[in-house]
Amino acid sequence: MSLPLSDYEKRKQISVRGLAGVENVSDLKKNFNRHLHFTLVKDRNVATPRDYYFALAHTVRDHLVGRWIRTQQYYYEKDPKRIYYLSLEFYMGRTLQNTMVNLGLQNACDEATYQLGLDMEELQEIEEDAGLGNGGLGRLAAGSLDSWVTFPGLPLLSLCCEQGLERAHAASEATGPFCGWDCTGLEWVGECPILTCPSFLQFFEGKELRLKQEYFTVAATLQDIIRRFKSSKFGSRDPVRTSFDAFPDKVAIQLNDTHPSLAIPELMRVLVDIEKLDWDKAWDITVRTCAYTNHTVLPEALERWPVHLLETLLPRHLEIIYEINQRFLDVINAMFPGDFDRLRRMSLVEESGIKRINMAHLCIVGSHAINGVARIHSDIIKKSVFKDFYELEPQKFQNKTNGITPRRWLVLCNPGLAEVIAERIGDEYISDLDHLKKLLAYVDDEGFIRDVAKIKQENKLKFAAYLEKEYKVKINPNSLFDVQVKRIHEYKRQLLNCLHVITLYNRIKKDPNQHFVPRTVMIGGKAAPGYHIAKMIIKLVTAIGDVINNDPIIGDRLKMIFLENYRVSLAEKVIPAADLSEQISTAGTEASGTGNMKFMLNGALTIGTMDGANVEMAEEAGEENLFIFGMRVEDVEEMDRKGYCAKDYYDRIPELRQVIDQLSSGFFSPKQPQLFKDIVNMLMNNDRFKVFADYEAYIKCQENVSALYKNTKEWTKKVIKNIATSGKFSSDRTIAQYAREIWGVEPTHHKIPAKGMQGVNFPLPSPHNMLFI
């Protein structure tokens, strides 16, 4: 079998005409050498691969600097409305290649490094993933950044960071109040100016550190927001006192989950205590400025801060929260007199047990718009999680289904597939993913079917080689690549996947001569430091793999691999290679998911429940083109009313009983027979996510997967239908909806030529400027 084309060779074939002008290779080489010599002070005799990487990074960055300065000059002149997207996570991954793709420089840089005798793929591997997040929340924010710059009419400013979570580089040395602590962080002094640099926080630990990080983020951001507004013509009309009347028309603050929720009391503190506005005026400004995105329906995941911690660290903010709560409850009591249970449910202050502040309630009360991130999720928060608030102010609640960036998740990570798509329908889909619908005309095209199948097999060969090199495990590249990569959590039900793998193992052992469709199961993700069951799930995956992967009877018919240190750059390798995408959360528990969309775009079929964005994926592609199984939300709700008994399933289903008995007896952990007793106990006695209830349906659905996989042509036709109908799930669409329906701005695509830079187009900013923090 011939080796697959390298990504470099594929990229030389793919057209990216719609993204930017093409840079002269000779100029790139000159700039590369200039940075190597004058920025890094090295020559080819002493330079290391890391030096070459930095020389390339500086060369690419040169193409951003002029755009950045010109854009800021335009903002200064036009004084646009600014949208500030506050998030505690931006899970960026690697940025060099992504920047080259977005600037249209990838091909030219590939050729330049080739002519310089360097390997582009080796240089890209030197870059570490930026440590600015660890899950879907951070990836969503990072994808939004990409989409923002796709709309030149929605340009952005961004927080400049170096070394991820380890160190941040402040754009200016502004000072601001930080928790009222003195500059040692040891004594409350009312209000203290400190340098707005995260290194100030390094000596705090645990929950206290987390709260200070959250406050630092919003305090520094709001200081900058106020400074910008005061310097504008709207903020400086009164020479004696700043007028904040136009503030909501010039500033919008989007809270990405509850982590930046302290922006609400902090803005009130600034307006009331410092700017001397009366409460009602300040509150009107705050609500009209802020909007809130909810990312979870799990009650335990909604952030709550103990009152005693806020009393110690942020006493003035606690006073403000109490005042907000009292005024809000007065309104509720007037509307529903004597309904004390409603007052308790809707209060910002939870009195039972440890007294705590419900930050989600604070966000809802203090925002003019609240949105979920998939239609089913938005319906659930209106019907159950925030039902009382929805009944009070239904006009506040919206849906904004999540999306992913096709630049990173197709053009960058799967250039072969991007190429064969562009050959059929052109490259407009790169910036308008709805163009993929044109591929529906090619579902029965024999040539396109062969090309799509070939690209998938090349990606699988490449990832199999990566696994052999990094994990020292040899897998069958012709096996079905069955992938579940996401945060490790009970509700995401990696355990259901494990039960299926053990069931397959037992079937092969029982009848080794029977034909089985070869399958390589890969699970990846990270567990929260204090989440015991999640860590045990990881141990279970590795233990099952140790047994199966070393059983000579099993051979290459079944493998199980835990993908360690799952991160963006690893996702970029495994997602293009996947045949099957596992999206198997209990119905009604997953807010949306974005991994499901990435797999769909890259030609993996989905096995999943009707949960999160799976519902809308099934609507777009047709439920018959996904492998849908298990309970729906209403079934789960009915089971909750009647009661779920795991033992009933254990007693009734022999294969399930065998699997659980193996876990209980230490079959997969012979040196520690009781190792998985906590998992078994949870599954049998305290499983909120009802793994056993969906076991039979899941096993049957997996049998359908194996049956279809044997027919390459029919499998690939479903793959094409999925790719062709994935256009809805672009983050470009998501951001455009936020802009129009929450922030009140209009995304545009206008461009103007950049002065003094030949052949390069600059975005023409609209009166709307986005700042991500």
Side-chain angles (χ1 to χ4, degrees):
M1 181 180 294
S2 60
L3 292 174
L5 293 172
S6 69
D7 285 350
Y8 165 67
E9 292 169 312
K10 293 173 185 173
R11 284 194 295 264
K12 290 202 70 174
Q13 299 173 24
I14 184 172
S15 168
V16 289
R17 293 184 301 271
L19 292 178
V22 178
E23 172 67 10
N24 183 279
V25 172
S26 177
D27 289 342
L28 280 172
K29 290 165 60 180
K30 290 177 182 177
N31 289 332
F32 178 93
N33 284 321
R34 175 173 58 84
H35 279 298
L36 184 65
H37 296 158
F38 298 108
T39 304
L40 300 173
V41 196
K42 298 288 183 69
D43 64 16
R44 298 296 291 266
N45 294 318
V46 297
T48 66
R50 191 168 184 82
D51 294 324
Y52 295 136
Y53 159 75
F54 278 115
L56 178 60
H58 281 292
T59 301
V60 173
R61 191 178 70 170
D62 287 348
H63 291 265
L64 298 175
V65 172
R67 298 172 181 230
W68 174 270
I69 294 173
R70 183 168 169 79
T71 301
Q72 299 314 304
Q73 291 169 342
Y74 184 90
Y75 294 160
Y76 184 81
E77 177 187 350
K78 299 297 183 182
D79 192 23
K81 180 174 184 177
R82 292 174 166 86
I83 285 76
Y84 299 81
Y85 189 96
L86 271 64
S87 180
L88 265 289
E89 295 186 24
F90 285 97
Y91 201 8
M92 301 298 295
R94 294 170 175 169
T95 57
L96 176 58
Q97 185 182 0
N98 193 54
T99 303
M100 290 189 291
V101 167
N102 286 338
L103 290 174
L105 293 174
Q106 180 75 72
N107 290 351
C109 286
D110 282 344
E111 183 62 29
T113 53
Y114 176 78
Q115 291 183 15
L116 289 166
L118 301 172
D119 187 311
M120 172 62 84
E121 292 185 22
E122 287 183 5
L123 295 182
Q124 290 170 349
E125 287 297 317
I126 292 172
E127 182 180 1
E128 298 287 342
D129 285 49
L132 297 169
N134 56 22
L137 183 78
R139 234 351 279 171
L140 178 72
S144 297
L145 284 175
D146 183 285
S147 287
W148 229 290
V149 298
T150 301
F151 291 107
L154 296 178
L156 69 97
L157 298 173
S158 183
L159 186 69
C160 298
C161 293
E162 296 179 1
Q163 300 181 17
L165 294 176
E166 299 171 16
R167 179 174 140 220
H169 172 67
S172 65
E173 294 186 350
T175 60
F178 181 75
C179 304
W181 288 88
D182 70 3
C183 293
T184 67
L186 301 176
E187 180 183 359
W188 179 267
V189 294
E191 191 161 294
C192 171
I194 60 101
L195 188 67
T196 53
C197 177
S199 60
F200 176 78
L201 306 174
Q202 62 188 1
F203 49 82
F204 298 112
E205 296 181 358
K207 290 184 177 179
E208 180 178 332
L209 171 61
R210 177 65 176 187
L211 181 58
K212 293 198 172 192
Q213 287 174 328
E214 292 186 2
Y215 177 68
F216 167 83
T217 301
V218 302
T221 302
L222 281 165
Q223 179 186 355
D224 188 60
I225 292 172
I226 299 295
R227 178 189 63 79
R228 289 174 185 273
F229 180 75
K230 283 186 173 183
S231 67
S232 72
K233 60 184 179 183
F234 291 93
S236 58
R237 285 179 294 185
D238 186 337
V240 178
R241 181 181 177 185
T242 299
S243 170
F244 283 85
D245 292 347
F247 193 81
D249 298 320
K250 303 300 292 182
V251 173
I253 296 174
Q254 188 70 36
L255 307 175
N256 192 31
D257 215 3
T258 57
H259 310 130
S261 57
L262 286 169
I264 293 170
E266 172 66 5
L267 182 54
M268 286 296 293
R269 184 190 72 81
V270 171
L271 295 177
V272 173
D273 293 356
I274 299 176
E275 302 299 335
K276 306 303 180 183
L277 273 65
D278 66 70
W279 180 278
D280 291 339
K281 180 71 172 178
W283 183 243
D284 176 69
I285 290 171
T286 297
V287 173
R288 289 167 57 205
T289 300
C290 295
Y292 162 55
T293 300
N294 173 268
H295 286 277
T296 182
V297 300
L298 300 180
E300 67 271 21
L302 296 174
E303 198 172 33
R304 295 167 168 85
W305 283 109
V307 165
H308 68 83
L309 191 57
L310 289 168
E311 283 177 332
T312 303
L313 299 178
L314 299 167
R316 177 55 180 148
H317 295 77
L318 183 60
E319 290 176 355
I320 292 171
I321 292 170
Y322 279 154
E323 182 68 17
I324 293 170
N325 190 50
Q326 185 59 58
R327 289 171 180 251
F328 175 66
L329 293 182
D330 287 345
V331 172
I332 302 302
N333 191 49
M335 296 178 65
F336 305 94
D339 193 343
F340 299 111
D341 191 51
R342 183 182 295 269
L343 291 173
R344 177 190 58 79
R345 294 195 308 266
M346 300 183 74
S347 176
L348 277 59
V349 183
E350 298 179 344
E351 304 281 356
S352 60
I354 298 175
K355 194 173 181 180
R356 299 178 298 179
I357 303 298
N358 188 312
M359 306 308 281
H361 289 187
L362 174 63
C363 288
I364 293 171
V365 173
S367 298
H368 70 275
I370 297 95
N371 71 278
V373 291
R375 191 177 67 246
I376 187 174
H377 169 228
S378 297
D379 289 343
I380 289 172
I381 65 176
K382 290 188 291 187
K383 293 176 182 177
S384 59
V385 182
F386 302 134
K387 179 175 182 289
D388 294 321
F389 295 92
Y390 174 68
E391 291 176 348
L392 180 68
E393 297 179 291
Q395 75 282 358
K396 279 189 174 185
F397 288 78
Q398 305 183 19
N399 174 61
K400 297 289 174 283
T401 298
N402 281 344
I404 60 170
T405 164
R407 272 75 60 185
R408 181 181 289 271
W409 296 112
L410 183 56
V411 178
L412 183 154
C413 74
N414 202 342
L417 181 59
E419 174 203 339
V420 300
I421 292 173
E423 287 175 353
R424 267 69 178 191
I425 65 171
D427 57 19
E428 292 87 354
Y429 74 89
I430 296 173
S431 56
D432 185 355
L433 208 58
D434 281 337
H435 281 276
L436 289 179
K437 289 180 181 177
K438 297 175 184 177
L439 291 176
L440 289 173
Y442 295 90
V443 169
D444 296 311
D445 184 280
E446 296 289 342
F448 191 56
I449 292 171
R450 284 195 303 272
D451 285 348
V452 171
K454 179 184 177 184
I455 292 299
K456 177 63 69 174
Q457 190 59 30
E458 289 177 352
N459 291 337
K460 292 173 69 174
L461 284 166
K462 185 175 180 179
F463 193 67
Y466 172 83
L467 288 180
E468 186 169 5
K469 177 183 176 183
E470 299 295 330
Y471 291 82
K472 311 305 179 188
V473 58
K474 191 169 184 177
I475 64 171
N476 178 3
N478 296 314
S479 64
L480 188 158
F481 281 18
D482 179 346
V483 182
Q484 186 179 20
V485 284
K486 54 184 73 248
R487 184 163 48 92
I488 308 297
H489 198 289
E490 291 164 78
Y491 87 85
K492 294 181 182 289
R493 298 205 295 190
Q494 286 91 354
L495 285 173
L496 182 58
N497 195 344
C498 289
L499 299 186
H500 171 244
V501 172
I502 298 173
T503 300
L504 288 181
Y505 173 75
N506 290 335
R507 288 180 177 181
I508 296 174
K509 294 286 284 186
K510 182 179 180 180
D511 187 1
N513 296 321
Q514 183 180 344
H515 174 73
F516 289 90
V517 173
R519 187 180 292 239
T520 300
V521 180
M522 295 171 248
I523 294 179
K526 294 179 181 178
Y531 192 175
H532 171 67
I533 288 294
K535 291 185 174 182
M536 292 309 301
I537 290 172
I538 294 175
K539 282 184 176 291
L540 178 60
V541 173
T542 59
I544 295 170
D546 287 341
V547 172
I548 292 176
N549 299 347
N550 294 293
D551 190 323
I553 294 176
I554 301 299
D556 64 1
R557 290 180 288 185
L558 182 62
K559 298 288 184 184
M560 189 171 200
I561 299 167
F562 182 75
L563 299 175
E564 298 176 9
N565 191 24
Y566 184 66
R567 59 203 184 278
V568 176
S569 58
L570 182 51
E572 292 166 0
K573 294 179 175 67
V574 67
I575 289 174
D579 293 305
L580 187 66
S581 164
E582 299 268 356
Q583 309 296 332
I584 56 177
S585 55
T586 309
T589 61
E590 182 71 81
S592 170
T594 54
N596 44 7
M597 304 169 188
K598 296 163 192 167
F599 282 105
M600 182 185 192
L601 181 61
N602 279 273
L605 299 185
T606 299
I607 182 168
T609 54
M610 282 300 232
D611 196 26
N614 293 356
V615 176
E616 292 164 77
M617 289 165 54
E619 290 175 354
E620 294 296 308
E623 192 170 329
E624 71 277 7
N625 292 308
L626 285 75
F627 297 98
I628 299 296
F629 73 95
M631 298 181 290
R632 310 292 172 107
V633 171
E634 55 270 23
D635 300 321
V636 175
E637 292 172 346
E638 179 65 19
M639 184 170 287
D640 285 334
R641 286 190 290 269
K642 292 182 176 180
Y644 165 68
C645 180
K647 193 173 186 303
D648 290 346
Y649 298 93
Y650 172 86
D651 291 338
R652 182 173 60 81
I653 307 171
E655 284 190 313
L656 174 61
R657 184 166 61 252
Q658 180 185 6
V659 170
I660 298 304
D661 289 348
Q662 286 172 306
L663 295 179
S664 300
S665 66
F667 181 89
F668 293 100
S669 55
K671 295 182 179 178
Q672 296 176 273
Q674 299 299 307
L675 181 61
F676 300 118
K677 64 180 179 61
D678 289 344
I679 287 180
V680 172
N681 181 62
M682 182 275 292
L683 287 172
M684 293 295 296
N685 303 303
N686 190 34
D687 179 13
R688 295 182 297 149
F689 304 107
K690 306 172 180 61
V691 170
F692 290 1
D694 274 341
Y695 172 81
E696 282 182 301
Y698 181 58
I699 297 297
K700 177 62 178 175
C701 196
Q702 288 282 19
E703 291 171 356
N704 295 337
V705 169
S706 294
L708 182 64
Y709 188 72
K710 290 187 287 187
N711 188 330
T712 301
K713 181 177 179 179
E714 291 304 313
W715 179 279
T716 306
K717 288 170 71 172
K718 287 186 182 291
V719 165
I720 295 170
K721 290 177 184 177
N722 273 263
I723 296 170
T725 54
S726 61
K728 174 181 179 178
F729 306 107
S730 169
S731 51
D732 299 350
R733 184 266 314 154
T734 306
I735 288 300
Q737 288 182 333
Y738 273 101
R740 294 186 179 105
E741 299 167 18
I742 293 181
W743 307 323
V745 299
E746 183 62 31
T748 64
H749 289 279
H750 301 302
K751 292 184 179 181
I752 57 173
K755 296 178 181 179
M757 294 188 68
Q758 297 180 354
V760 180
N761 286 331
F762 267 102
L764 171 62
S766 74
H768 317 303
N769 168 30
M770 314 301 168
L771 177 61
F772 277 68
I773 297 293

